[in-house]
Amino acid sequence: MNVGFSSVIIYAKDTHKTAEFYTKYFGFDAVEEKGIIALTSEEGVEQLLIHQAGSAVKMGQACIKLVFTVSDVEKFKASALKKGLKFGATHKGDGYLFSNAKDPNKNNVCISSRGV
């Protein structure tokens, strides 16, 4: 049996604000259908699904980090800052750089040069 990865669901109190965050800072395209906003990359391969969070969901409580691969961490950070998103300090891994931020729902997001 083959198993494939299709998407990640992000629960959000404000789905449109969350979709705007990922389209503005990471270049995803957004399409809303049946109450769920699907975000895809220009290549059309990655997919994030933004779903309305229930009233009992506590934002920022889930253990998730969305990692976006970028060729130049510092250049991406500078570009994001001009748009209003501030990443934290740049850290050095084993042959790569990475930096962290939070989305509007306090989910962890990371940019990393690992795998480039």
Side-chain angles (χ1 to χ4, degrees):
M1 173 175 36
N2 292 332
V3 177
F5 178 80
S6 64
S7 59
V8 171
I9 295 175
I10 299 173
Y11 291 99
K13 294 290 185 185
D14 184 332
T15 57
H16 292 97
K17 183 177 180 180
T18 302
E20 180 183 346
F21 174 86
Y22 288 101
T23 58
K24 180 178 180 179
Y25 298 115
F26 296 98
F28 281 86
D29 293 317
V31 175
E32 185 170 4
E33 186 176 319
K34 297 180 182 176
I36 295 176
I37 301 174
L39 303 176
T40 55
S41 68
E42 289 180 3
E43 295 81 23
V45 290
E46 297 89 359
Q47 189 171 52
L48 299 174
L49 300 176
I50 311 298
H51 192 283
Q52 182 66 50
S55 60
V57 173
K58 294 180 182 174
M59 299 284 82
Q61 292 293 313
C63 296
I64 187 170
K65 181 184 275 190
L66 302 172
V67 180
F68 297 92
T69 302
V70 299
S71 58
D72 186 327
V73 170
E74 293 304 322
K75 185 175 180 179
F76 190 95
K77 282 176 64 173
S79 175
L81 185 59
K82 287 180 185 176
K83 297 176 188 176
L85 175 62
K86 183 177 180 179
F87 279 85
T90 299
H91 304 282
K92 185 172 182 163
D94 188 14
Y96 64 95
L97 300 175
F98 67 97
S99 183
N100 300 302
K102 299 269 189 187
D103 77 3
N105 300 289
K106 299 181 184 171
N107 293 309
N108 296 307
V109 294
C110 176
I111 52 173
S112 171
S113 62
R114 183 178 184 190
V116 175

